[in-house]
Structures are given as structure tokens and as C-alpha cells.
Amino acid sequence: MLGDVLALLAAFYLGRLSHAFYYHLSPGWVLLYWWGSLAQVNVLLFLLLMALGITAFAVKGHYARRKAFWDEAGEVLGVFTLLLALNATIAFSGKWPLSRLWLFSTWVLALVLLPLARWLVHHILQRLGVWMRPVVVVGCGRNAAEAIRALDSEPMLGYAVQRVLTPGGCDPASGELPTQAPMEALGDDPLATLARLGKPHVVLALDMDQWDAQEKLVRSLGLSYPNLTVVPPLRGLPLFGMEAMHFFGHEVLMLRVRDNLARPGPRIAKRLFDLLAASLLVVLLSPLLLYVAWRIRREDGGPVFFIQERVGRGGGTFGCLKFRSMVMDAEDRLKQYLHSHPELAAEYERNFKLRNDPRVTRIGKFLRRGSLDELPQLFNVLRGDMSLVGPRPLLARELDRYGDNICLYHMVYPGITGLWQVSGRSETTFDERAYLDAWYIKNWTLWYDIVILLLTVKVVLRREGAY
């Protein structure tokens, strides 16, 4: 909380510099000038909004519970959006001597400085050894493995898996767990075992077939560990927005799931976001688009665009646009290459890609490493064939390989980027790609679209997993 307060005060103080640049005043003079009705009203209003923001973070558990980074960042953005709306309402509806430029620049800076301050505080606490919290995972099967992977993927949570306890009837040799932590039997007295380990944070991650046999264990841990973390062995359900229903006097927990993209409201919001963002990107990137088109045309005199028929929403087909990155006789050259190098046929069948593809032109290699060949698909988005974020558009020959998740694919528009692209891209298998696409569709939120777009920029700049 102290880090948040300091970050917000720093944003407000630095936001004062906007006056210096806008009114051509000395920055030193502007920062020192804090009297007068203008400054007083701005200070009082900001302190009120800051108090509301800190209170909102406290209510959401930011200072009492540990949360995954992107979920916490989404809540921060939501709170700041409401505060900015309240700020704008007061600034534009009243006749108070408010500096709108000062206050709006303050919130922009706060959106940057507050996450940085939180990261710095967590980092300092980790270095001091007071942030990491020992965790014991109870389980030994697939559910425990998934729980360990999830905890390891969020190092800033501060949960360190120190031991895996296997309950009775659980065979540790049945599967490899993704951890170097030692494993031991939970024993006949689980509470004594946990007390010997210093009463660490407990994550109960039993598989489905173990819940009935371990009912006594579940009850004893639930009574003795009020902050017990339970990982239910549920797969294939939409997780985001799942609501828990409780019944007075009954030990019954019902989970009500929501498939966001199956409802008209989220679909409309996603489409409006696509139109706005794609239009802005076309305008901003127009010099780059024209330059790439000129380079392709100059290299071999062929067409600038490669139009390939892909399967879209509802199973219909559309012409997917790309900057042409291959030679004119690409298919013939591929057949000749695979015939001469049969050992590479398996690599091609894995994801229909080759690491050293002989069909790619010189400019094409540059475009593919930076995924710039995908930029013309912005026009597919504006035309209504695609979305900015979604599953990659499938070829007709890939439909059978997509498995049972094909029904989910037909529900949405394919995307220029997606969860697959920010999770390894060409380094992942086709089955993993289908799984990631299904997870995205079932758990869609507009915030996750923004997160994937931000991660796409990072992946493209680092040129990770593309060839």
C-alpha cells in the first residue's frame, strides 16, 4: 500500500510538468509553485481520488491476497478507468479552476508508475527474503502437476513449492511432476507432518478419483488451514467469470459457468475494439506497409500480396491476406525439396513449417522473423473476416487435425495473433495450438485480448519462435 501511495504521489508531482511544456514555463518554477486556487483544487481532488483508488485496491484484496500478475493488472486498469471517468466528470461539468491537462497526465503516469512500483517492492522483498512463501502441494497426479506449473509461471506471486506430499493410495511413480522439490508420503497424521514442515501454505491438488478416498483428509485440512488453496480437478470448462453458488445449511458448492463469446454483449464489445484498434494501426503503420510493398515488388516483380483461402467463423471460407514472402513457384519447390530431404517431411507435417524453408525470399525471411507478413490481415479485420486476437485461421486440410475443439473454432472469428503466438508459435505442436485456441475461446475477456496484444509486441521484438 505504501508503494502505491508513493507511486500515485510521484505521478501527480510529475504530472505538474505538463504545465511547463504546455505553457512554456520553467520546469523548476512549475514544480515549486503549489499555491493559488488552481493548485489547491487539483491537490484536494487528486487526494480524494487517490483515497478512493487505494480503498478499491484494498477491497479487491491487493494488500491482503496474492494475485496473478495479469489479473491484478486488469483490476488496476479497471479502477483507474473509473477514477479517470470521475475525474473527467468533475473537470468538465463544474466551473472549478481545474487543470485538466495536469490531472489527465497524472493518471497516464500513474498507470505506468504504479505497476513499476509494485514490481520494485516485490523485488526488494524477495531480495530481503521476506516475500517468498513456502508451499506444500498435496497430490501426485496430473492435477498436482498442473498446479505446480501454474505456480511456477507466476514468480512474483512468491509461492515456492518446497515439498510434494503424496496421500495414501497415490503412486509417485505414476507420473513425473515438474518440480525439483522432494516428495514424501503424507502419512497417517497429515497435520503432524505439516507441523513438522513449519505449517507452510497448503495447496490441495488431488485427482478426481482420489477425492472420495481422501474425504477425511479434505475435511481435516479444511478445518485446520483456513487459507487452504484447493485445486479442483476440472478441465474443459470456462474458468474466467465462473460464479460460485452457496446454499444455506447445505455442503453443496455449485459452479455456474459463462461462455463470454457465446453472448451478444461481449461479441459487440470485441468487434468495436477490433474496428477501433485496427483502424488506428492501419493509419500509424501506413508508411511501413507502403515500404514493404515496394520492397517485395522490387525483389522479383511479383504480386505484393499472397491471398490464401482459409476457414473462418461458421465454417465459411475467406481470402486471408499476407505480404508475399515466398517465391512464385513455391509449391513445386517444396515438393522438390522434401523429395530431396525426406528426413524433413516429419518436421513439415508437425506444423506445416520448415525451419530453413527454401521457398522464402530474402525480404520474406525478414518479414517472417518479425511477423510483418501478417500486417495486411488488418484489412481482413476491417472487412469482418477476422479479429485482432483469436485462433489462427485454419486451412481446409487442417480441420480434421483440430479434433473436438473445432466446434469452438467455428464460434469465433480467427485472429491475426492469439494465445498460440505468444506461447511458442512455431515451437509448439499442432495439438498444443488447438488446446491454446480452445482455452482462449472459453475464457475470453477484452482485457485478455489487450494482454495478448501486449505480449505479441514483446514476442515480435524478441523474434521468439518464428521462422
Side-chain angles (χ1 to χ4, degrees), residues 407-445:
C407 59
L408 293 174
Y409 176 87
H410 288 323
M411 288 174 50
V412 300
Y413 291 104
I416 298 177
T417 186
L419 189 56
W420 168 66
Q421 286 90 329
V422 299
S423 303
R425 302 160 84 185
S426 301
E427 303 297 335
T428 58
T429 65
F430 195 91
D431 290 340
E432 291 170 335
R433 167 183 167 182
Y435 166 79
L436 292 171
D437 286 345
W439 190 97
Y440 164 80
I441 296 169
K442 289 183 292 186
N443 297 282
W444 176 88
T445 65

Side-chain angles (χ1 to χ4, degrees), residues 16-83:
R16 186 80 159 111
L17 285 175
S18 61
H19 277 238
F21 295 114
Y22 189 76
Y23 293 107
H24 305 289
L25 301 174
S26 167
W29 183 88
V30 171
L31 288 175
L32 292 174
Y33 182 75
W34 288 94
W35 55 88
S37 59
L38 176 66
Q40 291 173 1
V41 172
N42 278 277
V43 169
L44 292 175
L45 178 59
F46 179 77
L47 290 177
L48 173 63
L49 295 176
M50 184 179 72
L52 290 176
I54 295 297
T55 302
F57 292 145
V59 170
K60 290 179 177 293
H62 287 207
Y63 309 126
R65 298 189 297 273
R66 303 179 184 218
K67 295 193 174 189
F69 173 78
W70 287 113
D71 288 347
E72 186 175 271
E75 293 180 353
V76 169
L77 179 62
V79 170
F80 278 1
T81 300
L82 292 176
L83 292 177

Side-chain angles (χ1 to χ4, degrees), residues 184-418:
E184 68 173 82
L186 187 58
D188 297 330
D189 191 348
L191 297 182
T193 302
L194 292 170
R196 174 173 55 84
L197 296 175
K199 291 188 176 182
H201 184 76
V202 178
V203 175
L204 185 62
L206 301 175
D207 285 332
M208 186 67 74
D209 58 350
Q210 298 169 342
W211 280 92
D212 289 340
Q214 301 296 334
E215 182 178 357
K216 182 179 178 181
L217 169 65
V218 174
R219 288 182 179 275
S220 63
L221 289 179
L223 292 173
S224 303
Y225 283 83
N227 292 321
L228 175 70
T229 298
V230 179
V231 184
L234 298 176
R235 299 291 183 272
L237 294 176
L239 303 177
F240 193 88
M242 184 178 288
E243 298 177 358
M245 299 175 60
H246 312 90
F247 295 87
F248 180 75
H250 297 272
E251 275 196 344
V252 175
L253 175 65
M254 291 189 182
L255 300 176
R256 180 161 48 198
V257 299
R258 296 187 308 176
D259 191 340
N260 286 337
L261 285 180
R263 297 182 293 138
R267 286 184 179 274
I268 294 174
K270 183 174 176 61
R271 182 57 184 156
L272 291 176
F273 176 76
D274 283 342
L275 289 174
L276 179 62
S279 301
L280 181 62
L281 286 173
V282 167
V283 172
L284 294 176
L285 298 176
S286 54
L288 176 62
L289 296 173
L290 293 173
Y291 172 74
V292 171
W294 172 74
R295 282 290 306 272
I296 295 172
R297 189 74 174 177
R298 180 188 178 191
E299 182 158 330
D300 59 10
V304 171
F305 298 109
F306 172 68
I307 304 176
Q308 189 176 42
E309 190 174 87
R310 299 279 181 134
V311 180
R313 182 169 180 256
T317 59
F318 68 97
C320 184
L321 291 171
K322 282 189 176 184
F323 278 129
R324 184 173 60 86
S325 60
M326 292 187 178
V327 295
M328 300 294 292
D329 57 341
E331 291 302 319
D332 292 337
R333 192 169 298 192
L334 174 64
K335 292 178 182 179
Q336 295 174 7
Y337 186 76
L338 292 179
H339 180 74
S340 303
H341 302 81
E343 71 278 4
L344 298 178
E347 178 187 344
Y348 182 73
E349 286 296 325
R350 184 172 69 92
N351 211 11
F352 300 109
K353 287 178 177 288
L354 291 172
R355 187 170 297 275
N356 297 306
D357 199 323
R359 301 170 293 171
V360 180
T361 61
R362 286 181 299 172
I363 181 62
K365 292 179 180 178
F366 169 75
L367 294 176
R368 288 191 167 201
R369 290 297 293 173
S371 297
L372 299 179
D373 57 324
E374 313 279 357
L375 288 179
Q377 290 167 24
L378 291 170
F379 297 104
N380 284 119
V381 175
L382 295 176
R383 197 167 60 182
D385 299 325
M386 296 179 64
S387 175
L388 284 176
V389 182
R392 282 298 296 151
L394 292 174
L395 296 165
R397 68 189 183 197
E398 298 174 324
L399 292 177
D400 293 337
R401 296 183 58 187
Y402 212 74
D404 296 337
N405 292 325
I406 193 64
C407 59
L408 293 174
Y409 176 87
H410 288 323
M411 288 174 50
V412 300
Y413 291 104
I416 298 177
T417 186

